[in-house]
Amino acid sequence: MSLQLSLLLLGVLLLLVMAVYYAWLARKNKPRQAEPVAPGQVAALDARIEPHLSDHPLDGDSFASSPAPEKKPTLDPLIDAVAPIALEAPVSGEAVLAALPSTRRVGSKPFFIEGFNALAQRWESPSAGQQYSQLQAGVQLANRSGALNDIEFSEFVMKTQNFSDAVNGTPDLPAMRSEVNRARELDQFASGHDAQLVLMVQARRAAWSPSYIQQTAARLGFVMGSMAGRLVIPASTSGLPPVVSLNFDTLTALADDPTQSALRQITLGLDVAQVDRGEKPFVRLREVADALAREMDGMVTDDQGAALSPEGMTVIASELEQLYDMLAQRELAAGSPLARRLFS
């Protein structure tokens, strides 16, 4: 065999070896894909259902597979400035609805009107076909946007007065300085007791496709949220915030060919004040984080990418129990209607 032919054969062999190597490398680095779904099998992630984040949500979908929560009056002096409205005579629900302002916000705070239904003997949001012997207006003192300020309080006064004039009522408005001071104190407490826990699961080797993440998460009880790249574990009661959320890059989730998208991390979140303590949310957060890491060959880290030890998790759990106790002592128990409004 001539030297030239030997070199040619060696070159061909080298090209074959390189082709096999790069094929193996491409296969190794290809994002993990979801397993095929058998015909007739219904995937757990088909529905886009996410519980509301408050009693008066601005967006989101409801989770409808469990009993509806008890409806309670919205306004509470603990977190609201309330103005009773004296009436010359009972008014119809239709008249109240017609007199409502076009927007139900005062700056960044929710504005409310409630009526006392004499027949049902309860305060409620006005509705057609009912009669109301008393009315009250209110504005929330604080939320995650901050405390009610002087300008917002003045707007509350104007809205309440205009509404009262329309229903022939006389409002008993609270003093601005007192309510603004209460708002600041409440905001200070809320700011010091607002916890939103975040864990991350990061890939050790192979990346993940969105469908692989969704399929793996579905086995752990996650369902699709209201936005692309978001999944949630629903609360046990209809209409309440999710116990745990899972998020990954939205653009990746919306890619033309998601199977070719590569993700190397997902984020798990728990909004502490929004979820009832009885749901054992931190326990479930830890369980799903560990299960996802195990199933997807990943590792659990904090939001800065540092690995979390079991001892570190135990410390967080202990601090969380103290936070739950402090919220309950302030009559703002985690997951309660007032806590969900204040921490929103």
Side-chain angles (χ1 to χ4, degrees), residues 1-343:
M1 182 181 295
S2 66
L3 177 61
Q4 185 176 11
L5 181 57
S6 297
L7 292 174
L8 178 61
L9 290 175
L10 184 60
V12 171
L13 181 60
L14 181 60
L15 288 174
L16 287 173
V17 170
M18 291 178 63
V20 170
Y21 170 75
Y22 284 116
W24 171 82
L25 192 62
R27 181 179 179 83
K28 178 183 177 183
N29 292 330
K30 183 178 181 181
R32 294 189 178 192
Q33 303 296 323
E35 298 173 0
V37 178
Q41 181 180 350
V42 179
L45 289 170
D46 282 348
R48 287 185 175 272
I49 45 180
E50 181 169 356
H52 296 317
L53 296 181
S54 68
D55 288 337
H56 296 268
L58 299 178
D59 53 22
D61 307 306
S62 63
F63 181 66
S65 67
S66 54
E70 179 184 359
K71 175 61 180 173
K72 296 183 179 180
T74 298
L75 289 172
D76 191 305
L78 187 64
I79 67 167
D80 297 303
V82 182
I85 300 172
L87 298 172
E88 296 179 357
V91 295
S92 68
E94 287 82 357
V96 175
L97 292 173
L100 290 176
S102 57
T103 61
R104 306 293 180 84
R105 301 195 75 80
V106 170
S108 62
K109 312 299 183 296
F111 172 81
F112 305 96
I113 293 291
E114 288 188 328
F116 185 76
N117 188 322
L119 183 62
Q121 287 293 296
R122 68 184 181 194
W123 288 95
E124 63 185 25
S125 296
S127 60
Q130 304 299 319
Q131 289 283 323
Y132 299 103
S133 57
Q134 302 173 61
L135 296 172
Q136 60 183 8
V139 62
Q140 194 165 311
L141 292 171
N143 56 18
R144 282 175 172 159
S145 297
L148 184 78
N149 57 40
D150 291 7
I151 295 175
E152 290 173 325
F153 186 86
S154 297
E155 185 180 345
F156 163 64
V157 169
M158 291 180 59
K159 281 196 171 187
T160 301
Q161 187 63 63
N162 290 339
F163 169 80
S164 299
D165 292 343
V167 295
N168 296 319
T170 303
D172 182 10
L173 293 160
M176 179 177 75
R177 189 50 45 209
S178 172
E179 297 305 290
V180 169
N181 287 340
R182 283 207 309 130
R184 289 173 179 167
E185 190 276 332
L186 182 62
D187 180 61
Q188 185 176 15
F189 171 83
S191 298
H193 297 82
D194 193 1
Q196 299 179 67
L197 301 181
V198 175
L199 299 180
M200 296 175 64
V201 179
Q202 304 204 37
R204 293 181 184 275
R205 286 176 284 271
W208 313 309
S209 68
S211 60
Y212 176 74
I213 294 172
Q214 292 167 356
Q215 188 177 74
T216 306
R219 299 191 187 106
L220 300 174
F222 283 91
V223 299
M224 292 295 289
S226 57
M227 299 179 293
R230 178 175 170 85
L231 298 88
V232 298
I233 292 180
S236 57
T237 302
S238 169
L240 298 185
V243 178
V244 176
S245 64
L246 184 159
N247 297 278
F248 57 88
D249 184 65
T250 302
L251 294 178
T252 303
L254 295 172
D256 293 336
D257 186 2
T259 62
Q260 299 304 312
S261 299
L263 291 159
R264 301 199 62 83
Q265 66 180 37
I266 56 177
T267 301
L268 297 169
L270 163 59
D271 194 338
V272 175
Q274 291 283 328
V275 184
D276 191 283
R277 189 179 194 172
E279 296 275 10
K280 299 187 182 302
F282 185 64
V283 172
R284 298 173 73 179
L285 175 65
R286 291 183 64 176
E287 289 176 346
V288 297
D290 290 340
L292 287 167
R294 184 172 57 253
E295 294 290 328
M296 300 165 62
D297 189 22
M299 61 181 294
V300 181
T301 73
D302 63 16
D303 57 351
Q304 301 300 314
L308 286 169
S309 66
E311 293 78 15
M313 289 287 203
T314 300
V315 171
I316 295 173
S318 176
E319 293 175 346
L320 194 54
E321 289 303 313
Q322 295 177 30
L323 175 59
Y324 281 133
D325 290 340
M326 296 179 73
L327 289 173
Q329 290 168 11
R330 188 66 184 251
E331 299 182 55
L332 292 166
S336 66
L338 292 184
R340 295 199 304 272
R341 283 210 286 129
L342 177 60
F343 296 95

